[in-house]
Amino acid sequence: MRRAALAARPARPPSRRCWLRCLRDPAALWAEADLVPSLGWRLYQGSRAVPVLLTKLTVKQATLLQLAMPGGVDTQRRDKHIAFAGLALGLAPPTPRALPPAAGQQPAAAQPAPAAAAPDPAAAAAAAAAAAPRLQQPRWPAWTGPPSTPRLPRELALTASVRVALRKLWRLRWDNAVKEVYWRLALNGLATAERMSQPEAVCLCGVACPGRAHHYWECPIAQAVVRAMLDSLPAEWCARPADGAPRLRREHVWLMFAPPPAARRAGARRLHSGVWRVVCLAALAAMDTGRRAANLAALQAKSEADARTAAHARRAERAAAAGQRLISSMLPAAPPTEAQQQRQAAAAERERAQRLQQAQQAAVASFWAWLADFVACRAALRQWSAQVPTQHPFLCTVPDDADPRAAPRIWLQAGA
């Protein structure tokens, strides 16, 4: 029966691809089959060229090939990292500088005016190019980086600091959601009002058109997280600068440079670099939580105002349907007195301060929650148990009570 049903079923027409394959020369098909396995690219790793075959192409190799394109993604990413590190250090963006005129060339202001003649566009363009001052490529001032960083040019040092932090963070066996915040922050990919070109947007603290520098350092919500970090950072673990600058600066968190120790001598207490990167990552994720809480509070305030306006409009519609009029539509509203304006402004300020305090509390709670999640996931590297002391701030080592012979575990510091 089955064979009879299959024989009675109409045959499927051949596909278009099958027809094209049949029409082509079989010799060409054999030639392509022999040629495709030998096609590929050259992936340069330093001074060595590694062949990448098309038939064995992996996602990692394709990503590296895309990053290696001249003027492509890698160049744009490097420029983003340089701008991010410069902003972390409080440096202004570099501006082109005019070089002195070449030998035998007068300054642009002292160039003699050409004699009156028939206008020639080509000659005018050539004269303007010759009279224009030469511009040098923008450069950052010289910088040697932290004490452990070798002396490098400014662009290479800034890019290396961000890339090293990202490479170390991606190796942690932790949730990628917390790592994505730092990755987007370095590329200026977070949804801030400055990046989204929303000049009318106002932060919960009152700053108009806030950017990443505000949300992730200058905002009172971000400063609440910084204060929580300082409260858990004893003075013997962090030096106080002689010029009166704060112990914890933006480059310490953004570039994940551990603050210098209080005493520059052998055996001084130094913050573990790996633990400090985890702390900075949790702090930035907490600041992002505070930013989202502030945006949510602003949206709730706007929705409440819109709801009051819609309720008044519905009352007017119901009165009009019943053939009545509201007294507010017949009599003009009296302007509020000065005392009423002051009370309204004070009430609005109290409501704004309450929403800001709630966002600060949410950010600080998120900071400690991320650190507790790191401990619960046992995401610390194995060698940290022998490197992190028992008195280390934020995260420390504790012996395993169940098995005293086992390696110590990374745990939250008591009182954190």
Side-chain angles (χ1 to χ4, degrees):
M1 295 292 293
R2 180 178 178 83
R3 292 182 180 179
L6 292 176
R9 189 176 61 180
R12 294 178 56 186
S15 62
R16 178 181 176 87
R17 182 179 299 177
C18 181
W19 281 110
L20 292 177
R21 186 176 299 175
C22 295
L23 291 176
R24 296 185 63 179
D25 186 9
L29 293 178
W30 285 109
E32 289 184 2
D34 293 338
L35 184 62
V36 167
S38 61
L39 295 178
W41 300 268
R42 290 182 179 178
L43 180 60
Y44 288 92
Q45 297 180 354
S47 59
R48 185 170 60 94
V50 179
V52 178
L53 297 179
L54 179 61
T55 55
K56 298 181 180 180
L57 182 65
T58 62
V59 176
K60 181 178 180 180
Q61 292 173 344
T63 304
L64 293 177
L65 287 171
Q66 185 183 15
L67 295 177
M69 294 175 59
V73 180
D74 188 58
T75 303
Q76 299 176 12
R77 184 178 63 175
R78 185 185 66 244
D79 296 340
K80 294 284 187 180
H81 288 173
I82 291 175
F84 169 72
L87 182 61
L89 293 168
L91 301 177
T95 55
R97 296 178 297 174
L99 291 177
Q105 181 183 3
Q106 299 180 2
Q111 289 286 345
D120 186 2
R134 295 181 297 128
L135 295 180
Q136 188 183 17
Q137 293 294 331
R139 294 236 176 228
W140 295 93
W143 178 67
T144 58
S148 60
T149 304
R151 181 178 293 272
L152 294 173
R154 180 59 166 169
E155 294 85 353
L156 296 180
L158 293 179
T159 307
S161 62
V162 180
R163 292 196 176 186
V164 166
L166 285 171
R167 185 171 64 250
K168 296 288 186 180
L169 292 176
W170 286 118
R171 291 178 180 176
L172 294 176
R173 298 173 298 174
W174 201 12
D175 191 359
N176 286 340
V178 66
K179 305 174 188 176
E180 186 178 356
V181 175
Y182 185 72
W183 174 64
R184 289 183 178 273
L185 181 65
L187 297 175
N188 196 16
L190 293 166
T192 60
E194 183 181 17
R195 190 186 73 86
M196 304 297 289
S197 301
Q198 297 175 348
E200 71 282 355
V202 180
C203 182
L204 194 59
C205 62
V207 175
C209 193
R212 57 178 174 176
H214 175 79
H215 282 302
Y216 296 91
W217 188 257
E218 300 169 358
C219 184
I221 301 174
Q223 286 299 311
V225 179
V226 175
R227 286 194 299 271
M229 297 173 66
L230 285 174
D231 293 342
S232 300
L233 190 60
E236 59 269 16
W237 288 84
C238 181
R240 183 175 297 276
D243 55 357
R247 291 188 300 159
L248 195 60
R249 298 188 296 274
R250 181 162 51 187
E251 62 266 22
H252 293 152
V253 179
W254 282 23
L255 301 182
M256 300 186 178
F257 295 153
R264 296 184 177 274
R265 54 180 175 79
R269 295 184 174 182
R270 298 177 180 270
L271 293 172
H272 188 266
S273 58
V275 172
W276 182 250
R277 278 191 290 268
V278 171
V279 171
C280 294
L281 193 61
L284 293 174
M287 294 176 188
D288 186 71
T289 301
R291 177 185 67 87
R292 294 173 183 270
N295 292 340
L296 181 60
L299 289 177
Q300 289 178 352
K302 185 177 182 300
S303 63
E304 291 174 1
D306 294 343
R308 289 192 294 267
T309 305
H312 180 74
R314 285 193 299 270
R315 286 196 300 268
E317 290 177 358
R318 287 195 299 266
Q324 301 175 355
R325 296 179 62 187
L326 295 177
I327 190 172
S328 58
S329 62
M330 294 184 292
L331 299 176
T337 62
E338 183 178 357
Q340 291 176 342
Q341 293 179 0
Q342 292 178 357
R343 285 196 295 269
Q344 292 175 0
E349 180 64 24
R350 285 195 301 270
E351 184 179 0
R352 186 193 66 83
Q354 182 180 3
R355 295 179 184 272
L356 183 62
Q357 184 180 7
Q358 292 175 355
Q360 290 176 339
Q361 293 174 354
V364 174
S366 176
F367 170 66
W368 293 114
W370 278 119
L371 289 181
D373 180 77
F374 179 83
V375 172
C377 293
R378 295 182 177 268
L381 300 181
R382 185 173 301 176
Q383 59 268 24
W384 288 11
S385 59
Q387 300 172 356
V388 180
T390 56
Q391 299 86 12
H392 195 280
F394 304 106
L395 300 177
C396 63
T397 56
V398 294
D400 194 347
D401 297 334
D403 188 3
R405 296 173 298 177
R409 295 177 299 157
I410 300 297
W411 200 255
L412 279 175
Q413 180 61 266

